[in-house]
């Protein structure tokens, strides 16, 4: 199995080493495998999870939301609970997008007015 050093995992995922440690501490990824010398070794599965967490963070989910979702994935919850969680977050994201489009429209109007 191929593993990545923390620096390589950070480079590959676009997050800092501190962020990787934070995600691990919060239980959002991992547990991360350790070498005989105690150094973290990231697997492809870890890289996938880091990407998922990063995507959810970009979508506006907070750490509490992420903890809840990880708990739903790791426990024996029915898939419907996971789907309900994701649908709720998607609805919130759609509302945010609508608000951002409205704000962009106002900015465009002001740019046109002052141009």
């Amino acid at each position: 199995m191929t593993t990545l050093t923390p620096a390589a995992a950070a480079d590959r995922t676009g997050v800092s080493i501190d962020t990787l440690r934070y995600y691990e501490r919060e239980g959002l990824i991992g547990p991360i495998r350790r070498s005989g010398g105690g150094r973290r070794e990231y697997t492809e599965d870890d890289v996938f999870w880091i990407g998922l967490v990063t995507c959810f963070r970009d979508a506006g989910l907070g750490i509490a939301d992420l903890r809840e979702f990880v708990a739903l994935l790791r426990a024996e919850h029915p898939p419907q609970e996971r789907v309900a969680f994701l649908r709720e977050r998607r609805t919130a994201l759609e509302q945010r997008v609508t608000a951002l489009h409205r704000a962009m429209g106002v900015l465009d109007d002001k740019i046109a007015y002052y141009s």
Side-chain angles (χ1 to χ4, degrees), residues 63-91:
I63 296 298
D65 285 330
L66 290 168
R67 275 194 217 110
E68 182 180 346
F69 185 66
V70 168
L72 286 171
L73 290 176
R74 290 185 176 161
E76 293 296 321
H77 293 277
Q80 298 87 339
E81 288 184 38
R82 297 172 190 158
V83 170
F85 173 91
L86 293 169
R87 283 190 175 141
E88 288 172 14
R89 293 339 178 263
R90 189 180 192 291
T91 298

Side-chain angles (χ1 to χ4, degrees), residues 41-63:
E41 296 180 325
Y42 293 87
T43 64
E44 288 300 319
D45 191 47
D46 296 325
V47 169
F48 169 81
W49 274 97
I50 295 161
L52 186 64
V53 169
T54 302
C55 178
F56 282 6
R57 292 287 293 151
D58 290 344
L61 275 72
I63 296 298

Side-chain angles (χ1 to χ4, degrees), residues 16-46:
S16 70
I17 293 174
D18 288 338
T19 298
L20 292 177
R21 286 189 202 120
Y22 176 71
Y23 286 171
E24 183 181 6
R25 234 182 1 261
E26 292 297 321
L28 305 178
I29 62 171
I32 303 300
R33 186 176 134 167
R34 302 284 180 136
S35 70
R39 298 224 4 121
R40 289 174 175 86
E41 296 180 325
Y42 293 87
T43 64
E44 288 300 319
D45 191 47
D46 296 325

Side-chain angles (χ1 to χ4, degrees), residues 96-114:
R96 235 175 97 213
V97 167
T98 299
L100 287 171
H101 281 289
R102 216 176 9 253
M104 287 171 43
V106 170
L107 290 173
D108 289 343
D109 290 346
K110 292 302 173 190
I111 290 168
Y113 178 80
Y114 291 117

